[in-house]
Amino acid sequence: MTRYIIRRLIQAVPLLIAISVIVFAIVEIAPGDPAQMYVDPEKGADPEYIVQVRRSLGLDQPVYVRYVSWLVKTLQGDFGFSFRTRRPVALEIGDRLPNTLLLGGVALVMSILVAVPIGIISALKRYTLIDYILSTLALVGISVPVFWVALVLLQVFAIHLNWLPGVGMRSVRVQYEGFEATLDVIRHMILPATVLSLAQTASWSRYQRSALLEVLGQDYIRTARAKGARERRVIGLHALRNALIPMVTLIGLSVPSIVTGAFITETIFGWPGMGRLGVESINGRDYPIIMAVTMLSAVLIVVGNLLADIAYAWVDPRIRYD
């Protein structure tokens, strides 16, 4: 396994470099000049001033020079400075990443706690009214766009009913402390976490149902029943354990979505995380932030796939990668 992990990490290097080249090229050919966004309004559109701004941002250098310079600095842990705030990119990401991990982690746990029981119930009640209702709800959850669900929940629970806050991570008018501050964050998190977990919950419940049905049709399940084992023991000890193996892979592959899947949700609910930072950076053509967020997402995808493979081998001893 150690040899496999090292080999996968080495293989990820050219992949990450290729991703960085593609993203850098896309940002380069995107319309608009970032220097125009940092022009002092008092100085207007003075061409000499714009040239000075471009020089100060390093935009007067050829593309390949800027890319190589960025790559060398990134490998040294220097992500540069944000064009908009002039703060180090590492600090910008460090301020936002914990918020995204908190929101994504809660959404991930919510998805697991809801999807697995729904999938099990749907499989055990196959072709009954309960199965049809749960399958229909799962299909709706997969089909409905995330932004639409977010806007509906925002309209109903935050605006009409006024039960939950709809924007931000903390209350602005009241400064809570201690346990009340934690409750305040939880109240702000309910709506975005629900939206973020909805699609995964619906998809995972379908996978869990299919996996359990497939296991229930295996010979060793029929053998266990023929020996007189109780149905609860057959389901819990023999069937469910093996049916959860595909879920481990899915959960491992979903780790990157903690960051990448939050772009829309964080923007709609004003959650101060990586997704909102990415959208703000794209709108402001903040190259250093865009590159850092993209590369962080790519690294998370590679690590997520690797963790999924390791977890798969751990729960199923028949799988060996060496």
Side-chain angles (χ1 to χ4, degrees):
M1 180 59 77
T2 303
R3 187 181 304 171
Y4 171 77
I5 294 174
I6 295 175
R7 189 166 63 247
R8 285 287 300 272
L9 292 176
I10 294 176
Q11 291 173 348
V13 174
L15 174 63
L16 294 176
I17 292 176
I19 292 174
S20 68
V21 172
I22 295 173
V23 174
F24 204 92
I26 292 175
V27 172
E28 181 64 25
I29 63 177
D33 184 0
Q36 293 283 354
M37 306 192 65
Y38 308 104
V39 173
D40 188 343
E42 296 181 355
K43 297 184 178 180
D46 184 0
E48 294 185 1
Y49 178 64
I50 294 177
V51 171
Q52 293 178 2
V53 173
R54 291 183 59 81
R55 186 181 299 115
S56 65
L57 297 176
L59 298 174
D60 59 331
Q61 300 292 325
V63 177
Y64 65 90
V65 173
R66 280 189 281 133
Y67 172 75
V68 173
S69 175
W70 169 85
L71 183 61
V72 171
K73 290 181 179 178
T74 299
L75 294 176
Q76 296 173 349
D78 180 9
F79 297 97
F81 289 82
S82 168
F83 286 175
R84 295 182 299 118
T85 63
R86 304 289 181 173
R87 296 179 66 208
V89 174
L91 291 181
E92 291 284 348
I93 293 179
D95 291 342
R96 303 294 189 97
L97 185 58
N99 299 336
T100 294
L101 294 179
L102 176 63
L103 178 62
V106 171
L108 197 64
V109 173
M110 288 175 59
S111 299
I112 296 172
L113 294 180
V114 176
V116 173
I118 288 178
I120 294 173
I121 294 173
S122 187
L124 297 180
K125 302 293 183 181
R126 183 175 54 168
Y127 302 142
T128 63
L129 180 61
I130 296 177
D131 181 29
Y132 290 136
I133 293 175
L134 294 177
S135 298
T136 302
L137 292 176
L139 186 60
V140 171
I142 296 173
S143 306
V144 175
V146 173
F147 70 90
W148 186 84
V149 177
L151 293 176
V152 169
L153 293 181
L154 194 62
Q155 185 76 18
V156 173
F157 292 100
I159 297 177
H160 285 294
L161 299 177
N162 198 24
W163 287 355
L164 296 169
V167 179
M169 186 176 177
R170 294 180 178 85
S171 298
V172 178
R173 298 180 179 179
V174 182
Q175 296 297 325
Y176 295 104
E177 295 182 356
F179 183 67
E180 291 184 343
T182 304
L183 287 179
D184 188 42
V185 174
I186 292 175
R187 292 182 68 247
H188 282 80
M189 192 189 305
I190 292 176
L191 289 181
T194 301
V195 172
L196 198 58
S197 65
L198 181 62
Q200 289 181 335
T201 301
S203 176
W204 290 357
S205 65
R206 300 296 298 163
Y207 276 106
Q208 183 61 67
R209 178 183 182 276
S210 300
L212 186 55
L213 286 177
E214 182 179 354
V215 172
L216 290 175
Q218 298 295 320
D219 292 338
Y220 66 88
I221 296 296
R222 286 192 286 268
T223 302
R225 286 171 172 165
K227 288 182 177 179
R230 294 182 178 179
E231 188 65 16
R232 180 176 299 180
R233 181 179 176 83
V234 172
I235 300 298
L237 183 63
H238 300 289
L240 188 57
R241 183 177 180 180
N242 292 319
L244 287 174
I245 293 177
M247 289 296 295
V248 174
T249 305
L250 288 176
I251 294 171
L253 295 175
S254 299
V255 172
S257 66
I258 292 177
V259 175
T260 59
F263 273 63
I264 298 176
T265 306
E266 290 185 356
T267 302
I268 293 177
F269 290 99
W271 188 266
M274 290 286 293
R276 187 179 174 190
L277 176 64
V279 173
E280 292 172 351
S281 302
I282 292 173
N283 292 333
R285 293 180 62 79
D286 197 341
Y287 290 164
I289 295 287
I290 295 174
M291 293 299 298
V293 171
T294 305
M295 294 310 300
L296 179 61
S297 301
V299 170
L300 287 176
I301 291 173
V302 173
V303 174
N305 280 276
L306 181 60
L307 292 177
D309 289 342
I310 295 174
Y312 204 74
W314 179 64
V315 298
D316 190 353
R318 295 171 299 177
I319 298 175
R320 288 291 179 267
Y321 292 103
D322 290 332

